[in-house]
Amino acid sequence: IQEGADFVVGPLDKIALETLSRSSEISTPILGLNYLPDYDEPPPTLFQFGLLPEDEAAESARYAFNNGACKAVILVPDNDWGLRNATAFSNTFTTLGGEILEESIFDAQANDFSASIKSLLNISDSYNRYRQIAAITSTNYDFEPRRRQDVDTVFIAASPKQARLIRPQLKFHRASDLPVYA
């Protein structure tokens, strides 16, 4: 601005945006490519634009529902970002008429997501049923675990690295036929 810019385009971090939003001396239009917290009202020369992860999660819910999904499960990291995405997907999906059957969280630092996936798909329950029947009858049976059959889509919020690891683990745990939205 001091060098004569007619328009400033970010990305600007939230702290810079907050600082600019409090300044009454800025007359040059600024496109922040980020968002201020909800409680801050930007001055007329400060424009906010960005793709919030929550917006992408809500759009994934609309897309899944419009493609025929009615019953979803959600898999997200155990952090604020993951929980915000789960909430955005869930709120949009249920508003449209869909049902969230279960949510499962995973350790964001992990590489093995099988425990969360087994829980989400009720594969652990399948193993438990097998062990109970085998104990009652004192017989070992040929066993192939089954995933829950009431789900028709999976929503995942994950980093690219996590998603590349989760997808094959979903396939391994008998969910290769389920559409995955991320």
Side-chain angles (χ1 to χ4, degrees):
I1 292 172
Q2 290 175 346
E3 294 175 5
D6 295 324
F7 196 90
V8 176
V9 178
L12 300 172
D13 64 27
K14 291 186 186 300
I15 295 170
L17 280 177
E18 287 184 60
T19 302
L20 287 170
S21 73
R22 291 189 201 102
S23 174
S24 58
E25 300 173 16
I26 304 293
S27 59
T28 303
I30 299 169
L31 177 61
L33 297 180
N34 205 339
Y35 288 100
L36 290 166
D38 291 337
Y39 56 86
D40 281 346
E41 183 64 34
T45 57
L46 179 60
F47 300 91
Q48 302 175 83
F49 177 79
L51 293 176
L52 291 172
E54 294 89 338
D55 292 343
E56 293 182 40
E59 186 59 31
S60 294
R62 283 188 283 280
Y63 191 73
F65 188 81
N66 290 335
N67 282 318
C70 298
K71 297 183 180 198
V73 293
I74 297 173
L75 181 63
V76 298
D78 186 14
N79 57 31
D80 182 58
W81 178 84
L83 300 176
R84 286 191 336 259
N85 278 284
T87 299
F89 182 90
S90 180
N91 288 346
T92 302
F93 197 72
T94 56
T95 297
L96 292 169
E99 181 182 355
I100 303 299
L101 299 174
E102 192 161 343
E103 292 183 27
S104 185
I105 56 174
F106 60 84
D107 178 0
Q109 305 305 314
N111 291 323
D112 180 4
F113 307 100
S114 59
S116 297
I117 292 170
K118 284 180 184 179
S119 172
L120 189 69
L121 299 174
N122 290 347
I123 293 191
S124 302
D125 293 347
S126 183
Y127 279 107
N128 290 339
R129 284 190 301 275
Y130 165 73
R131 283 192 284 278
Q132 288 174 347
I133 291 170
I136 290 170
T137 62
S138 298
T139 306
N140 286 328
Y141 296 98
D142 287 337
F143 170 71
E144 186 172 318
R146 295 181 183 208
R147 70 163 176 83
R148 65 186 313 154
Q149 296 299 307
D150 56 346
V151 61
D152 55 22
T153 194
V154 178
F155 172 71
I156 299 171
S159 71
K161 178 186 174 195
Q162 292 165 340
R164 284 190 296 273
L165 293 169
I166 290 171
R167 187 68 175 138
Q169 290 180 45
L170 280 169
K171 288 181 180 183
F172 179 80
H173 291 295
R174 294 163 175 69
S176 61
D177 60 327
L178 291 176
V180 175
Y181 297 91

